[in-house]
Every structure is written in C-alpha cells, then in structure tokens.
Amino acid sequence: MTQGEHRSPARRTVLGAAGVAVLGASAGLTAGTAQAADGGVRHHGFRSLPVPTVIAHRGASGYRPEHTLGSYQLALDLGAHVIEQDLVPTKDGHLVCRHENDITGTTDVADHPGFASRRTTKSVDGVSQTGWFTEDFTLAELKTLRAKERIPGTRQENTLYDGRWQIPTFEEVLRWAEQEGRRRGHEVWLHVETKHPTYFRSLGLGLEERLAKLLRRYGRHRADSAVFLQSFEPSSIQRLAKLVNSPRVVLLSGASSRPWDFVQAGDPRTVADLVTPEGLRWIASYAQGIGPTLDLVVPRDASGRLGTPTTLVRDAHAQGLILHPYTQRNENSFLPADFRRGTDPTAYGDAFGALKTYLSTGIDGIFTDNPDTALLAAADL
C-alpha cells in the first residue's frame, strides 16, 4: 500500500467510524451522559469520558491545517472524544486559536504586502523569534489572513487545504461546539490551553480573565462542564482555579525544563521536581490532571527506542490526577525508533505498536494528530 492510499479521506472515515462503533463515542450520547427532559444533555463531568480518552491535538492536524474549523470538524467526525484549542490574544484583546503567537508558518501573512512592516523580532519566554505576531494585529486584520499547513514538507497532502479557512476566534469555536452538540445530541468536549500567559500578561493582555469570561458566557465554567483548561505555566492554572470551576490540567514538558512562570518568579523547581509524589501532590491541590510529554511516561534511550515506563502513571493516580500525555503522530519522524518503518521520515510507521505501548501504561487519554488511529488502538485494548 502506498503512502497516498493509506491516507485517503475515505479510508480515514471508515477507520474513525470503526473506532466510534467500538467505543460508543459520537454515535448518540457520550458515555456518562443522559438526555434531559428539556431536550438538552446532562453529564457527569470528565470522569464520564471514555478511557483512554482520544484528544484531537489542534484538531485532526494530521490531515488538515491545525487550529482551523476544518481540522476541528474532521476530528469530531472521526470520533475524537475531545478537541484541543490553543489560545493567544490579538492586539484588541480577542482570543484566537493558534499554537503560537508567531503566525509566520501557519498563515499567509508573508503574502500580504500591507503587513510587511509588522515583521519583527521578539523574545517570547526567553526565546528570540522573528516573524509576525498575533498581538500586533487587530482581529479584523487577522481575519484577512488564511491558514496554511505548518509542516508542508512532512504533510504535503495537507497543503491542498491551504487558504481554505481563516483563523478562528475561541468564541467562534464555542458557537461551533454548541451547534455540533445540538446536532449530535451530546456536548462537544474541548481542551483549551493558555499559551505564554506570563508573557501576555506583561503586555496587558492577560489570558485567564478573558477566557473565564467566555467560559461563563457559554456555560462552560462549572466543575462538570465539557471542557479542560490546560497550561504549561502552573500559575495560569492557579489563576483560572480562582475564576472558574472547570477541570484543569498542568502540562509538563522535558524533565530538566522549568515552566516560564517559575523562571520569572525565581522558583528553582524543574519538571522533574513536579513529577515526584510531592510535586504531584502540590499540583493536585489546584488541578485535576497533568499533561506530560510521552517521554515522561515511557522514556526513550540514547538510540531513540522506548525504554521502561516510569512510575508517573501510578504516582499521579495515587494523588487522584488523570494523565493526558502528548503527542502521538503517525509519521516515522515522530515515532520512537523501534516503531519506524522504512527510511522515509514522512511515511507512516508502526503507530499502532507505539500506541499499544503507551496506552498499556494506564494513561487516561492521549493527545494525537491522528484521532482515527488512536481510536482503533484504544479499541484494541
């Protein structure tokens, strides 16, 4: 089978449907929900989600340009249980869905002569970046741009959809989720990240208050609301905990790294400190889960092969925390060395083998660019 064949939209739809049929998601009410007398849906919070929960990373970004309504829609159609959004602000304070505030690689901004003078160099979380940034554009200006594939060399087929969609605001996503929820008979779950919150607060563009206002407007501010709030900065989650009761997840990157808010505050702790029983106990005092990199669950050795799982799953569960690790992708270049197939880095490797290893650790969910693949792997359990 050629690469083009195994990525065909028709086959992806069949795979997604197979995962849905086995796991009972999207076809009718999600597990743990009940039809209310008024025709709405009541559910019992995040503990009612299927386990393992399949979280569409930036939507179905393995098949469509990330953080577009097209990517979110396909993820939902494929059967993903939760759809992820990353939030950054515009100059006039609107929250839009981009993985980074640097939109050079995900939009056609470079093709707009009128915005040439906006190209600049900034330090974001201590990293120098040159490009175009959302905080230098009003929402009206951003709406003149079109989204495009972020890694066209790896996902050449996705470039077919370049220019098809705008950058969505988070409020537009909330409206879309409401419409899809009514159509499908169950609420659409979202996983919402505050990006670079300390950096944006220093610019007078605090994310948490703006996010909380929208969550309240659309009824997603309660402990049983169909939304997770996530951030790599623990202080952002602590701030959100004071504003809304929505479930909260602390994201964790490499063991030796330090959250940027820790750096700014002079807190010497690293991620390695946060994944100890003591660190997890501290996280559990204000959050309901963690989102560690997969390497914190199953580390890779010097050759890039998977090693022995750590005790993180056991230790987090002992503190009552759920785990939503990131990110599973099908391409060889992203897979552990022992699950790569052939020499083409853009070809699919043994994604099912890798997923079996990760899911067998007892994680509660997984972020994936390919929700149809993850749904089938979850069904295999």
Side-chain angles (χ1 to χ4, degrees), residues 49-170:
L49 283 166
V51 176
T53 303
V54 173
I55 307 158
H57 183 241
R58 313 179 198 178
S61 52
Y63 312 122
R64 300 287 188 272
E66 65 188 38
H67 288 315
T68 59
L69 288 177
S71 182
Y72 299 153
Q73 184 67 52
L74 180 59
L76 198 58
D77 290 344
L78 289 174
H81 305 130
V82 185
I83 316 296
E84 186 201 29
Q85 295 78 45
D86 296 310
L87 303 185
V88 294
T90 65
K91 183 178 182 179
D92 48 348
H94 295 274
L95 297 180
V96 295
C97 300
R98 291 287 91 186
H99 181 254
E100 291 295 336
N101 53 326
D102 181 356
I103 54 174
T104 308
T106 60
T107 73
D108 63 354
V109 63
D111 299 330
H112 291 248
F115 294 142
S117 63
R118 306 277 181 97
R119 188 172 186 267
T120 187
T121 299
K122 299 188 178 193
S123 177
V124 181
D125 293 1
V127 178
S128 180
Q129 302 177 30
T130 299
W132 286 266
F133 299 84
T134 60
E135 65 266 29
D136 296 330
F137 292 78
T138 65
L139 178 59
E141 289 172 332
L142 279 184
K143 283 296 187 178
T144 67
L145 307 180
R146 311 300 289 189
K148 68 177 185 180
E149 172 56 37
R150 179 178 60 88
I151 46 174
T154 301
R155 294 173 173 167
Q156 300 171 24
E157 295 175 12
N158 292 14
T159 62
L160 172 66
Y161 306 97
D162 285 357
R164 192 170 185 88
W165 295 288
Q166 296 178 325
I167 297 175
T169 67
F170 183 53

Side-chain angles (χ1 to χ4, degrees), residues 20 23-31 50 75-81 184-186 375:
V20 171
L23 295 174
S26 291
L29 298 180
T30 301
L76 198 58
D77 290 344
L78 289 174
H81 305 130
R184 295 167 185 265
H186 65 84
L375 281 164

Side-chain angles (χ1 to χ4, degrees), residues 94 171 174-175 178 210-222 244:
H94 295 274
E171 185 162 22
L174 288 169
R175 291 173 182 165
E178 278 194 345
R210 290 173 168 84
L211 173 54
K213 183 178 180 180
L214 285 171
L215 292 173
R216 289 185 175 280
R217 182 181 302 169
Y218 287 86
R220 290 178 179 256
H221 61 289
R222 303 179 182 88
V244 293

Side-chain angles (χ1 to χ4, degrees), residues 29 34-42:
L29 298 180
Q35 192 74 36
D38 59 4
V41 173
R42 296 169 184 160

